[in-house]
Amino acid sequence: MEGGSPDQESVGSGTKRSSVSSGSKSRNHKEFLYRLVDCETFTANLEDWFQSLYEKSAQMKPVFDVPFELIDLQKFDYALEGVSFQQLIRMPNAVYASTSDSAEATAYLAVEDFLHATVKGLWEAFWSQDEPMPFSVACLYKENLKFYQAENAIASGRLGSLCASGVLLKNPRHPHGKWDNLLELALLRPGIQSLVGESEQQPSLHVLGEALFYALRMLISRRLSRQNLPLSSNSAFVLLVDSQYGGVVKVEGDVNKMDFDVNNVYKCAAEWIQRHARIAVSPVDRIWNKLGNANWGDIGALQVTFATFYCIMQFAGLPKHSIEDLAADHGCRLQTRRLERQLGDTRVNGSGLFRFQQHGVSPEIVEVQDESVKLESESLKQEVGSVLWLEDSNWERGYHINQIRSNGELPYYIASPVEDPGKSLFLYVGSHPSQLEPAWEDMNLWYLVQRQTKVLTIMKQKGLSGKYLPQLSASGRIIHPGQCRRPSSGGNCDHPWCGTPILVTSPVGETVADMVSEGHFGVDEAIRCCHDCLSALSTASSEGIRHGDIRPENVICVRSGESRPYFVLIGWGHAILEDRDRPAMNLHFSSTFALQEGKLCSASDAESLVYMLYFACGGAFPDLDSVEGELQWRETSWSRRLIQQKLGDVSTVLKAFADYVDSLCGTPYPMDYDIWLRRFKRSIREEDHGKEIDASV
């Protein structure tokens, strides 16, 4: 473990310069980093600055901002609900553990294992479950600032020389690690918990100075590195932990603004910290419980995990699954939980939750209307005759509201473009972004607008189109009346409509639910509906996309511009794009596998289609309020062939299709769409028998 600074090796292979001055400047920067090795001298140069900050700060106000807002941590918490973290090496508790070297050694091993579990869980949840994790964890040896596995250092009697643990990008050519491959560093220091207490307490200069020192080394090393990071490398995170508590220090700034004077290294470094660095320090909260297990769901571990998430993004790029995507699954999990608890309708007050108020000393609990939600939603409703303007990719489009419809839960509109009054389109108005942040339980509008916009965009990019699928006409944000005072940095102004998402699709038609209620759904419609929906499912499944929410409100009959009516499968907000996605939960129309496992099998959409046709053809569902009751009814109905018989009264091919779906449900075998499309095509009664049905998808 002996040797000099690793920085010559870490950053010595920089990009070749075309000019002598550039090469000289690069060598000067490397020499600067090579001499920046004494943390105590660096900290001493910050004493006056730190003291002045503390004196200027209000008595009860922290000196530094926090790196993460609470609302962002709450979103991240929702996203991590389905993520598994497992720390196997327990952290020794300071109260119960001895002060021997063995306890300190175990603490370093536990920190390494905690970082490994964090990075592994985040990588598999947000980036890839199939690709191997490209990161490793090692400890920093303060004598030469190289990285070693903690076990090796402990075995060789170098425990006292360890100063930190880090997460690094794997590099087989440099087993001792390169500083420009360092994602984040965790400083294990006793007494971090002493920072917890009264709100006026601030991190000590000794602890903060050390964090700033290592963060600055990380930033300079990345500046000198020849590797191109996917995202900005102008910020570095350092974790402060002891055997119970932990916090985050974030340092952000452009090191190009530093005066790299190799004869005055520490003064230049301290001046850059004071003039150009933006420093954020999180509250110090508990990470490990008394048994040494990490409290992954609590604020202490959450903010450390969030910092690691950002560090991975710097080196691996944007995640495959965003925080918003995973957080959206919270609504599905909440609905599933309510079904498990037999709480009945999951759409109580729109969010599946009651607000209660107790009057006086009476034990009676009554439901209270959430006026804030009511006022907010009322303000976004449009009236017939009004014109709504949409900002779409720097274009402004106006839509005239002609009709107000409902999918059984939420309103939507039939509108026509201002420039083309004869054209009809579906228009969906989403929730204002501020409504989704404090209450992720109310996700119905999010699925209807934002999630469906994403799915339709992906389908369009993959070339999935056809007459039986909805087409994305436009999407963007509403243009509200008055002047928009949206900040240039992004976000929304204080107008209640600002930032509200809009989705516009085509074609327009009558839902199967409305057709059934008006008695317009007959034999021809049942066969055509089954054929057209199977065509849509076949097209989507060719790219691995499944619908996940087939019900009478999500199938429309289109009559305009065609010699015969046809059906379009809409409502793709709950579509399954990845294995982690979850379908909608509906007692009557969700597939059996979805109700049992919260997932879809290959025949789940077809099974939901059978239930919808059973209902549309006059089949009756029992009045049930639990998953168990619904599953028992289905088992009885399928075994007694009640569903097949009902569909058989309409068409023999529908009965045969129901039998086929029954044999396929719950198995891994794929649906054979082609054979059933051909059979339904032969059964369709054409007005013009000489004309073949268009079975294209």
Side-chain angles (χ1 to χ4, degrees):
M1 287 189 178
E2 302 301 329
S5 169
D7 300 304
Q8 300 281 19
E9 176 185 351
S10 298
V11 298
S13 54
T15 306
K16 293 183 178 180
R17 310 294 185 183
S18 58
S19 65
V20 176
S21 60
S22 297
S24 176
K25 186 177 181 180
S26 177
R27 288 192 295 272
N28 186 67
H29 292 179
K30 294 173 190 174
E31 181 65 22
F32 185 95
L33 181 62
Y34 184 68
R35 297 187 180 191
L36 186 64
V37 293
D38 190 344
C39 177
E40 294 183 0
T41 304
F42 170 82
T43 303
N45 279 268
L46 294 174
E47 285 184 0
D48 293 341
W49 166 75
F50 185 82
Q51 185 62 31
S52 65
L53 283 181
Y54 185 79
E55 292 174 354
K56 292 178 183 178
S57 175
Q59 184 82 15
M60 300 295 292
K61 182 180 178 181
V63 174
F64 303 103
D65 292 333
V66 294
F68 312 117
E69 296 295 334
L70 180 60
I71 186 63
D72 295 322
L73 289 172
Q74 289 174 331
K75 288 183 184 178
F76 192 58
D77 178 43
Y78 281 131
L80 294 183
E81 276 185 343
V83 182
S84 175
F85 296 100
Q86 187 177 29
Q87 179 180 347
L88 298 179
I89 301 178
R90 304 294 190 262
M91 174 65 75
N93 189 285
V95 177
Y96 304 107
S98 65
T99 57
S100 64
D101 288 347
S102 62
E104 184 180 358
T106 304
Y108 269 104
L109 295 175
V111 170
E112 275 196 352
D113 196 48
F114 172 80
L115 293 176
H116 175 84
T118 303
V119 174
K120 183 176 184 292
L122 292 174
W123 176 261
E124 292 179 352
F126 290 93
W127 278 269
S128 176
Q129 288 185 321
D130 302 322
E131 298 178 13
M133 183 180 69
F135 308 110
S136 61
V137 179
C139 281
L140 181 64
Y141 187 66
K142 65 183 178 183
E143 300 299 331
N144 59 8
L145 296 179
K146 291 185 179 182
F147 294 90
Y148 301 88
Q149 295 296 321
E151 290 185 357
N152 297 337
I154 294 169
S156 60
R158 304 280 183 170
L159 175 63
S161 296
L162 297 181
C163 61
S165 300
V167 178
L168 299 101
L169 185 68
K170 290 181 179 178
N171 191 333
R173 295 179 54 194
H174 300 276
H176 294 315
K178 296 178 60 180
W179 272 80
D180 52 330
N181 286 337
L182 181 61
L183 278 70
E184 70 177 354
L185 206 61
L187 305 182
L188 178 61
R189 298 292 179 268
I192 295 295
Q193 74 268 26
S194 64
L195 302 178
V196 180
E198 301 299 328
S199 58
E200 68 265 19
Q201 284 190 303
Q202 304 293 331
S204 68
L205 177 59
H206 173 73
V207 174
L208 181 61
E210 197 172 9
L212 299 179
F213 171 77
Y214 287 114
L216 181 57
R217 283 191 58 88
M218 293 165 65
L219 293 174
I220 297 176
S221 298
R222 295 174 189 175
R223 164 65 180 81
L224 298 176
S225 174
R226 67 178 180 180
Q227 69 175 351
N228 294 321
L229 298 181
L231 298 180
S232 171
S233 59
N234 285 344
S235 63
F237 290 89
V238 177
L239 313 180
L240 305 175
V241 299
D242 61 16
S243 60
Q244 297 178 63
Y245 296 87
V248 177
V249 175
K250 179 184 179 183
V251 180
E252 186 175 11
D254 185 1
V255 292
N256 290 318
K257 296 180 180 180
M258 182 184 296
D259 181 13
F260 288 90
D261 184 357
V262 296
N263 296 317
N264 210 346
V265 170
Y266 297 101
K267 181 179 179 182
C268 292
E271 288 179 350
W272 183 87
I273 289 290
Q274 298 172 42
R275 297 177 181 178
H276 303 292
R278 293 182 296 277
I279 301 169
V281 182
S282 76
V284 176
D285 279 281
R286 189 159 195 143
I287 296 179
W288 291 279
N289 60 27
K290 294 181 179 180
L291 293 177
N293 299 304
N295 298 317
W296 297 103
D298 208 351
I299 193 74
L302 194 63
Q303 59 190 7
V304 168
T305 306
F306 205 20
T308 306
F309 174 83
Y310 276 104
C311 293
I312 296 177
M313 272 207 306
Q314 288 181 324
F315 283 77
L318 294 174
K320 186 176 181 181
H321 309 286
S322 69
I323 292 176
E324 287 74 15
D325 286 343
L326 295 190
D329 290 341
H330 175 75
C332 289
R333 287 189 287 265
L334 184 68
Q335 289 183 348
T336 303
R337 177 61 53 82
R338 290 183 59 81
L339 290 173
E340 290 173 352
R341 296 177 58 202
Q342 302 182 18
L343 293 181
D345 187 1
T346 62
R347 298 184 296 274
V348 182
N349 279 356
S351 67
L353 298 178
F354 285 111
R355 293 180 64 214
F356 296 107
Q357 178 176 345
Q358 186 169 345
H359 296 276
V361 297
S362 171
E364 180 183 4
I365 300 177
V366 296
E367 181 183 353
V368 178
Q369 175 65 43
D370 190 339
E371 293 296 335
S372 61
V373 175
K374 180 180 179 181
L375 291 174
E376 191 73 30
S377 60
E378 288 288 343
S379 65
L380 294 175
K381 287 184 178 179
Q382 306 298 312
E383 296 181 354
V384 174
S386 63
V387 176
L388 186 149
W389 288 90
L390 168 70
E391 181 182 22
D392 177 21
S393 301
N394 299 322
W395 290 87
E396 294 184 0
R397 305 184 183 185
Y399 295 92
H400 189 274
I401 305 299
N402 299 324
Q403 296 182 41
I404 301 177
R405 295 281 189 89
S406 174
N407 65 358
E409 302 174 5
L410 302 167
Y412 63 99
Y413 308 94
I414 294 180
S416 57
V418 171
E419 68 276 9
D420 188 4
K423 185 177 183 179
S424 293
L425 301 167
F426 279 143
L427 186 146
Y428 305 92
V429 180
S431 287
H432 188 274
S434 63
Q435 274 189 269
L436 293 179
E437 292 178 352
W440 279 91
E441 293 85 356
D442 187 8
M443 296 301 297
N444 293 335
L445 270 178
W446 187 88
Y447 278 106
L448 183 66
V449 183
Q450 287 100 312
R451 182 61 170 28
Q452 185 169 202
T453 300
K454 173 183 176 179
V455 173
L456 294 181
T457 301
I458 291 175
M459 293 171 69
K460 186 175 182 179
Q461 292 171 348
K462 292 179 177 290
L464 300 180
S465 62
K467 64 187 297 184
Y468 308 124
L469 288 171
Q471 303 301 312
L472 177 64
S473 178
S475 65
R477 310 198 321 173
I478 194 172
I479 300 176
H480 59 75
Q483 183 178 1
C484 183
R485 305 182 186 278
R486 189 168 61 207
S488 58
S489 59
N492 305 310
C493 71
D494 55 1
H495 193 282
W497 287 13
C498 189
T500 300
I502 306 293
L503 170 64
V504 184
T505 67
S506 64
V508 167
E510 182 182 16
T511 66
V512 169
D514 290 338
M515 294 177 69
V516 172
S517 63
E518 296 172 6
H520 296 162
F521 197 89
V523 175
D524 288 351
E525 287 76 18
I527 298 175
R528 290 182 191 275
C529 180
C530 192
H531 169 274
D532 297 352
C533 288
L534 285 178
S535 296
L537 295 175
S538 175
T539 301
S541 66
S542 66
E543 290 292 341
I545 300 175
R546 289 166 287 176
H547 189 277
D549 190 20
I550 296 178
R551 51 191 171 95
E553 294 81 7
N554 282 340
V555 180
I556 60 173
C557 181
V558 182
R559 291 186 171 86
S560 59
E562 289 283 335
S563 59
R564 64 176 183 83
Y566 64 95
F567 291 84
V568 176
L569 184 57
I570 64 172
W572 289 80
H574 283 277
I576 307 301
L577 305 177
E578 305 284 346
D579 289 340
R580 69 181 69 254
D581 294 337
R582 294 294 177 263
M585 301 297 289
N586 187 298
L587 277 180
H588 292 324
F589 302 109
S590 291
S591 68
T592 300
F593 196 74
L595 292 180
Q596 290 175 327
E597 305 293 337
K599 301 179 181 180
L600 298 187
C601 66
S602 60
S604 287
D605 279 336
E607 184 184 355
S608 294
L609 179 59
V610 168
Y611 296 137
M612 188 196 74
L613 292 172
Y614 170 81
F615 163 79
C617 294
F621 289 112
D623 186 12
L624 300 171
D625 60 0
S626 70
V627 173
E628 291 76 9
E630 177 66 25
L631 294 177
Q632 184 177 0
W633 175 84
R634 291 184 183 187
E635 182 179 1
T636 302
S637 299
W638 283 110
S639 62
R640 295 181 180 178
R641 301 182 55 79
L642 300 179
I643 296 175
Q644 295 95 317
Q645 290 173 14
K646 186 63 180 180
L647 294 178
D649 294 340
V650 178
S651 166
T652 55
V653 70
L654 284 178
K655 180 180 180 181
F657 178 67
D659 277 325
Y660 171 75
V661 171
D662 183 33
S663 68
L664 206 61
C665 287
T667 72
Y669 303 111
M671 277 283 300
D672 189 342
Y673 288 102
D674 292 338
I675 187 173
W676 287 102
L677 287 173
R678 290 194 296 269
R679 293 190 64 176
F680 279 109
K681 178 180 176 180
R682 290 195 298 266
S683 300
I684 290 178
R685 302 174 182 174
E686 288 291 326
E687 294 179 2
D688 180 3
H689 293 285
K691 177 182 177 182
E692 282 199 355
I693 161 184
D694 176 17
S696 65
V697 292

